[in-house]
Amino acid sequence: MSLFLAACNASPSSEPSNDDEGESGTDTEQATDEPKQGGDLIVGSIGAPTLFNDLYSTDISSSDISGWIYDGLVVFDENLEPQPDLAKEWKTSDDGLVWTIKLHEGVKFHDGEPLTADDVVFTYEIPLHEDYTGPRASSFEKIEKVEAVDDTTVKMTLSEPYAPFMDSLTYGILPEHILGDVPVKELGEHEFNTKNPIGSGPFKFEEWKEGQYVKVTAFEDYFEGRPNLDSITYKIVPDANALMAQIANGDVHQASVQSPDLETAKKLEEEGKIVLSTDLALSYTYIGWNQKNELFQDEKVRQALTHAIDRETMISAVLNGDGEVAHAPSSPLSWAYNEDVPKFGYDVEKAKKMLEEAGWTPGDDGILQKDGKKFQFEIKTNQGNKAREQIAQVVQEQLKQVGIEVKPKIMEWSAFIEDVTAPNWNYDAVILGWALSADPDPTAIWHSKEREAGLNFVHFSDPELDKLMDENTKELDQEKRKEMIAKIQEGIVEQQPYTFLYYPNDHYALDPSIKGFTHHPRSEYYNIENWWMDK
């Protein structure tokens, strides 16, 4: 369960949800009858995918669809506990360095070829290769050697104990017989990732009409049995208004509901048109300040920016109060969440004073200036996410009060992701959200080594925190590791590379015919092979 950028986090909440007892809570399995086969499940999304290979993608839309096409060795359940997937069982040596993983027998790829231990070795050697260009290298760097013991047994040897190792076992297994001759440096751009991805997952890739939909069909020879649904159509919808209209009309059977549309969704539920499932998401929404831009290189300036943004009012006005201010780079759902990090409350006068101390003073037009340069920048976010679009406008208004000129820019999701991430970093500030991993290791987002090709696209760097991050993954005692991660979170928050905005809930609208759904804090389509439509 890796980190991915989220196109849509529905809304925030302060507490782990009690909605399983509330009027909109349906986060337990709904199936009461025998599952039926058949049906084309149409799911709606405002985020278009970019490619179907988790070793290279960074966005949640791509990850969601990849999860239907590929299987990993391990999957995390709704309680964020690792469970067998392609791996039937695993064991580790006493020193934690050698992991022996036993695969299920009889697993096939969608083209009928068997999936063996050699495919696992092939997949895991890609991010270990010196020519690997994707953003996931740090998830695998502690793996020293991967060996096939026999057709269904893999041995992985680590260079040191690695606490997040189970997270590394969630990536989809790729077919060596198709990609084995492709140079690793060319894999990220290979047409396999977009034209004909072949995995061993419950659904086979069928078609991708860019900007319209992605279709997958049931894999008859899936090792755990044919999925109940005949097919899934991932329908790409221009914006949240269109998505709500299609949900109301029954043109979309399942979709995430954004906070501004929550009341509408509740009315649809009262009318019997949908079932609404709500729970706290393992994620947070933030503004990222690009430290490659000299405007945001001064820690005091970043702190002042957070003081100048009224997040409480933002949540009340934009999200209809459905949320709580976020302060930490974590989620209240995580066992490593630190609620005692420094707090940067709304304080305009303090923000002005801090900006003045940083050398920014008002010019004749009221805009702050320093060394002949005005404090003005562009803030980007993704099209179709109502909350983020409105937040961009709120930030524009609120920063104007301290003499900063902000220009919102709303972009189509895939183009936006390409702009923001490596190697382009073509932005000043972004409004985005992280769908977090089950393991709380902060390395992938915050370590200095992740600036060039990884997910640290705000270019945050702190050598002392780097050391702590390096140490945290070696610590296998969870309480000791929690203390280390707490210090890392405090250090990051003190420097405000992000203004942490809010912790969202996930709200899912489900057609009443959908059965077998289980609400997962991280995976919108968890166990979708077990869903069925009672029609």
Side-chain angles (χ1 to χ4, degrees), residues 348-414:
V348 172
E349 293 309 312
K350 188 172 184 177
K352 288 180 178 177
K353 184 179 178 185
M354 294 176 75
L355 288 165
E356 185 177 357
E357 290 171 354
W360 291 94
T361 54
D364 294 338
D365 56 2
I367 304 298
L368 295 181
Q369 299 187 26
K370 180 181 178 182
D371 300 329
K373 181 174 182 177
K374 291 186 177 182
F375 205 141
Q376 52 189 196
F377 64 88
E378 191 174 73
I379 190 165
K380 291 183 176 179
T381 195
N382 57 300
Q383 185 180 49
N385 187 311
K386 279 186 185 178
R388 291 182 191 169
E389 291 179 7
Q390 292 176 32
I391 286 170
Q393 295 172 355
V394 171
V395 170
Q396 181 184 37
E397 289 300 316
Q398 292 184 346
L399 291 189
K400 187 178 179 181
Q401 304 305 312
V402 296
I404 296 174
E405 187 174 63
V406 181
K407 295 179 181 177
K409 183 171 183 178
I410 313 300
M411 299 180 66
E412 183 274 328
W413 173 246
S414 55

Side-chain angles (χ1 to χ4, degrees), residues 71-72 85-88 103-117 119 151-152 173 199-201 219 221-224:
D71 272 329
D85 200 3
L86 286 176
K88 185 165 62 177
L103 306 178
H104 285 282
E105 297 176 352
V107 180
K108 293 180 180 177
F109 284 108
H110 298 156
D111 61 358
E113 291 295 314
L115 184 152
T116 71
D119 295 294
D151 279 355
T152 56
I173 300 303
S200 64
F219 180 33
D221 291 331
Y222 187 52
F223 78 99
E224 290 191 316

Side-chain angles (χ1 to χ4, degrees), residues 307-497:
H307 279 306
I309 296 173
D310 184 355
R311 291 169 287 175
E312 292 283 2
T313 297
M314 182 184 290
I315 289 169
S316 174
V318 176
L319 303 174
N320 298 323
D322 185 25
E324 184 184 329
V325 171
H327 295 286
S330 182
S331 162
L333 286 180
S334 172
W335 57 261
Y337 174 67
N338 179 7
E339 62 182 8
D340 296 321
V341 296
K343 307 294 193 298
F344 292 82
Y346 179 54
D347 190 333
V348 172
E349 293 309 312
K350 188 172 184 177
K352 288 180 178 177
K353 184 179 178 185
M354 294 176 75
L355 288 165
E356 185 177 357
E357 290 171 354
W360 291 94
T361 54
D364 294 338
D365 56 2
I367 304 298
L368 295 181
Q369 299 187 26
K370 180 181 178 182
D371 300 329
K373 181 174 182 177
K374 291 186 177 182
F375 205 141
Q376 52 189 196
F377 64 88
E378 191 174 73
I379 190 165
K380 291 183 176 179
T381 195
N382 57 300
Q383 185 180 49
N385 187 311
K386 279 186 185 178
R388 291 182 191 169
E389 291 179 7
Q390 292 176 32
I391 286 170
Q393 295 172 355
V394 171
V395 170
Q396 181 184 37
E397 289 300 316
Q398 292 184 346
L399 291 189
K400 187 178 179 181
Q401 304 305 312
V402 296
I404 296 174
E405 187 174 63
V406 181
K407 295 179 181 177
K409 183 171 183 178
I410 313 300
M411 299 180 66
E412 183 274 328
W413 173 246
S414 55
F416 168 61
I417 292 300
E418 185 174 355
D419 244 17
V420 168
T421 54
N424 297 319
W425 308 297
N426 179 27
Y427 75 99
D428 301 321
V430 291
I431 303 170
L432 253 175
W434 278 116
L436 298 168
S437 299
D439 187 273
D441 177 25
T443 303
I445 299 176
W446 301 109
H447 199 290
S448 299
K449 66 186 178 186
E450 298 298 328
R451 289 177 297 175
E452 286 307 310
L455 301 176
N456 182 0
F457 51 81
V458 293
H459 293 265
F460 175 76
S461 179
D462 184 314
E464 291 302 315
L465 295 183
D466 285 348
K467 290 179 187 174
L468 266 177
M469 284 185 248
D470 291 337
E471 292 299 316
N472 104 86
T473 59
K474 301 176 190 175
E475 181 54 69
L476 301 182
D477 183 306
Q478 190 173 93
E479 281 305 308
K480 292 179 180 175
R481 190 173 172 224
K482 183 177 180 179
E483 293 174 9
M484 299 169 78
I485 293 175
K487 290 179 182 175
I488 296 168
Q489 292 180 6
E490 289 167 10
I492 292 169
V493 170
E494 184 63 40
Q495 297 175 65
Q496 291 292 292

Side-chain angles (χ1 to χ4, degrees), residues 518-531:
T518 300
H519 199 120
H520 190 288
R522 172 63 171 74
S523 176
E524 185 170 352
Y525 308 110
Y526 177 63
N527 272 349
I528 198 168
E529 63 272 22
N530 294 333
W531 295 16

Side-chain angles (χ1 to χ4, degrees), residues 1 6-10 41-47 60-61 63-65 67-68 76 232 234-235 243 247 252-258 277 281-282 435 506-510 514 516-529 531:
M1 183 178 290
C8 171
N9 288 130
L41 178 74
I42 302 173
V43 304
S45 173
I46 61 169
I60 195 71
S61 297
S63 171
D64 285 339
I65 297 171
W68 306 340
F76 282 80
I232 308 170
Y234 189 93
K235 189 175 185 180
L243 187 58
I247 292 170
V252 162
H253 300 133
Q254 186 277 346
S256 178
V257 175
Q258 298 182 27
S277 181
L282 186 69
D506 280 331
H507 305 289
Y508 298 136
L510 302 160
I514 296 175
F517 171 81
T518 300
H519 199 120
H520 190 288
R522 172 63 171 74
S523 176
E524 185 170 352
Y525 308 110
Y526 177 63
N527 272 349
I528 198 168
E529 63 272 22
W531 295 16

Side-chain angles (χ1 to χ4, degrees), residues 64-106:
D64 285 339
I65 297 171
S66 290
W68 306 340
I69 299 171
Y70 303 97
D71 272 329
L73 298 174
V74 166
V75 65
F76 282 80
D77 66 15
E78 64 270 33
N79 299 314
L80 303 179
E81 295 292 333
Q83 302 294 336
D85 200 3
L86 286 176
K88 185 165 62 177
E89 58 189 24
W90 56 84
K91 61 181 180 181
T92 182
S93 59
D94 292 341
D95 61 6
L97 295 181
V98 180
W99 290 73
T100 303
I101 299 162
K102 191 72 176 175
L103 306 178
H104 285 282
E105 297 176 352

